[in-house]
Amino acid sequence: MAGIHRERPGAEDLAAATGTPALPLGDDVWVSPGVSNAYAVATGEGRVLVNSGLVFEGPLHRKAFADVPGPTRAIVITQGHADHWGGVHSLRDDGTEIVMHRNYRYWRDDNQRLMGYRVPKTSFAFQKFSDAMLEHFKTLDPATIDFSFPEPTTTFDQRHRMAIGGRAFELAWTPGGETTDALVVWLPEDRILFSGNLFGPLFGHVPNLMTIRGDRYRDPILYIESLNTVLAYGPRRLITGHFAPIEGADRIAEEVTALRDAMQAVHDRTVELMNSGADIHTAMHEVTVPDHLDVGEGYGKTSWNVRAIWENYTGWFRHRSTTELYGVPPDSVAADVVGAAGADALAEAARAHVAAGRPVQALHLTDLVLAAQPAHAAARAVAADAHEALLGGTENFWEKAWLTKNIDELRARE
């Protein structure tokens, strides 16, 4: 069976909430689509919500769920990223239970202390969402918006069970997801699993063990264990953080097993190369997902995961150069190299690399030139062309966003 990643939309297709009525998914479950979807589960005593969207989306989700019998008895947050908890204050009623994993505070504190670092390094990929949110924000009264992180009323460690209105819920910690407070929600009678972003925003694709926006490394072993948790439940319906549910117990088991086995293979081969004396760049180039495991790389990339596995085990020192130990960057000598070799000569050499299908080698050279002479027209043109060559060979959301950002900046000054 072909991997489901071939049928799933790209991350570029994410869209903000609209405030239109929630869509029924069957089994008394409704979805209000958003940057991350919010879900409502009907019970005999009110509704249970799974995730709440961004802070700007909260009022829209509340409007969308108006026809789902209330009040809101509980809101379960599957992870500490703001597109999952942001709308809680708009969606909660008097007495609503707010349920999170006990590790929520680590991600809350991370985000608060590193806001000035991470926000600028995220905006290049999510500009269209930022623009949409800004337009929506203009229609709201800022005094009515509570941006604060909601404090949970209930936390747990490994598992948590609750029964509301005759409906059973089981929550399980799955720290191999995007955050170490990640959890899944299991409806045992219906065999429905809400997985949040355990699989990232694009189900069927390899995860991001390292995000270029600047999150912590993610642990591949915990990811594998978390996928085993999903497999042990044996869901017939998988409701993820984004897009439509995945249906069918056999298909879900096949896809999740492929994702698990792909990560295990990448992990094991990376460790093998580490022990063999290979270097990190060789591992990034050589390690691939086995051909029989049909998984995508639309959001995460195997080469990036290889580097994350390597550095998660070993740290940043690669035993290659004494210069690694000191706070003096390589481009501190760029002017010396450019002065000796000549900026034009280096730009021409970079152009030859692009022509020969070696765009990354070209960028190594243009980085030197542009560090010494940022306005050098020929180097900027070659660098833009190298980025264009790389852009033509990727379907990865993050890589495309980064390459496009750099092309726009380089071309703007030609």
Side-chain angles (χ1 to χ4, degrees):
M1 182 182 293
I4 200 170
H5 71 91
R6 300 177 186 278
E7 305 169 18
R8 307 291 279 184
E12 297 89 345
D13 295 316
L14 299 176
T18 62
T20 56
L23 305 172
L25 298 177
D27 302 297
D28 284 329
V29 176
W30 284 262
V31 58
S32 176
V35 173
S36 279
N37 295 341
Y39 297 96
V41 180
T43 80
E45 298 175 359
R47 55 186 170 244
V48 173
L49 305 187
V50 179
N51 291 328
S52 63
L54 288 162
V55 64
F56 306 103
E57 298 177 305
L60 299 175
H61 289 314
R62 187 174 186 91
K63 178 181 176 183
F65 290 137
D67 293 333
V68 181
T72 298
R73 294 292 309 282
I75 303 175
V76 181
I77 303 302
T78 62
Q79 68 185 71
H81 285 157
D83 56 330
H84 295 260
W85 59 258
V88 164
H89 295 300
S90 297
L91 289 166
R92 69 194 310 171
D93 295 324
D94 291 340
T96 298
E97 184 178 5
I98 309 298
V99 187
M100 301 181 189
H101 187 265
R102 62 182 296 186
N103 283 348
Y104 79 92
R105 61 190 183 279
Y106 297 115
W107 280 93
R108 175 201 63 195
D109 294 350
D110 258 13
N111 290 332
Q112 289 176 350
R113 71 170 61 99
L114 289 173
M115 191 73 68
Y117 179 87
R118 287 178 176 165
V119 169
K121 289 177 171 52
T122 301
S123 60
F124 76 91
F126 293 108
Q127 189 58 53
K128 71 173 184 177
F129 304 127
S130 300
D131 292 343
M133 287 186 290
L134 180 60
E135 288 303 310
H136 177 60
F137 181 69
K138 291 177 182 177
T139 69
L140 303 175
D141 179 0
T144 67
I145 303 175
D146 189 343
F147 291 91
S148 65
F149 191 99
E151 286 296 321
T153 59
T154 300
T155 63
F156 69 98
D157 186 8
Q158 298 293 327
R159 303 276 173 136
H160 176 69
R161 291 177 174 85
M162 58 187 190
I164 297 176
R167 202 155 191 179
F169 298 81
E170 180 176 318
L171 282 55
W173 182 39
T174 50
E178 290 189 334
T179 65
T180 56
D181 67 342
L183 61 89
V184 296
V185 182
W186 173 240
L187 306 184
E189 290 93 345
D190 303 288
R191 293 180 59 203
I192 294 173
L193 187 84
F194 295 87
S195 63
N197 276 17
L198 170 60
F199 302 98
L202 300 179
F203 179 73
H205 296 253
V206 300
N208 245 333
L209 297 183
M210 188 286 308
T211 66
I212 62 176
R213 67 171 176 252
D215 277 354
R216 293 176 183 264
Y217 284 134
R218 298 161 186 172
D219 191 305
I221 301 302
L222 292 179
Y223 172 78
I224 291 167
E225 291 178 358
S226 294
L227 267 57
N228 282 330
T229 296
V230 172
L231 290 169
Y233 281 126
R236 68 170 179 85
R237 169 180 280 182
L238 186 67
I239 300 179
T240 63
H242 305 272
F243 308 116
I246 297 92
E247 306 286 352
D250 290 343
R251 186 171 206 197
I252 293 168
E254 180 180 32
E255 291 285 345
V256 175
T257 298
L259 290 167
R260 179 199 65 188
D261 292 350
M263 180 54 70
Q264 188 72 64
V266 168
H267 170 272
D268 293 351
R269 180 57 179 152
T270 301
V271 170
E272 182 181 5
L273 287 172
M274 292 172 70
N275 286 322
S276 76
D279 64 81
I280 192 170
H281 294 102
T282 297
M284 290 177 68
H285 180 73
E286 290 188 2
V287 178
T288 59
V289 171
D291 290 340
H292 71 281
L293 300 174
D294 189 17
V295 297
E297 296 196 356
Y299 203 72
K301 286 198 69 173
T302 295
S303 59
W304 299 351
N305 287 343
V306 168
R307 184 165 189 161
I309 291 166
W310 189 300
E311 295 189 348
N312 199 35
Y313 275 127
T314 68
W316 49 263
F317 187 53
R318 300 182 201 159
H319 296 256
R320 295 185 64 189
S321 170
T322 299
T323 61
E324 296 175 52
L325 298 173
Y326 301 94
V328 181
D331 62 9
S332 64
V333 296
D336 301 288
V337 175
V338 172
D344 292 342
L346 290 172
E348 289 177 11
R351 174 65 66 191
H353 278 300
V354 172
R358 297 186 295 267
V360 178
Q361 286 88 334
L363 291 174
H364 281 306
L365 292 174
T366 58
D367 281 353
L368 285 170
V369 176
L370 296 176
Q373 300 180 26
H376 193 278
R380 295 183 70 86
V382 176
D385 289 347
H387 281 83
E388 293 274 12
L390 292 167
L391 183 63
T394 184
E395 292 298 323
N396 182 271
F397 170 81
W398 286 102
E399 190 174 13
K400 285 193 293 184
W402 176 258
L403 294 171
T404 300
K405 165 187 176 291
N406 279 274
I407 291 166
D408 291 343
E409 292 175 351
L410 289 162
R411 298 287 192 212
R413 293 181 60 180
E414 285 185 0

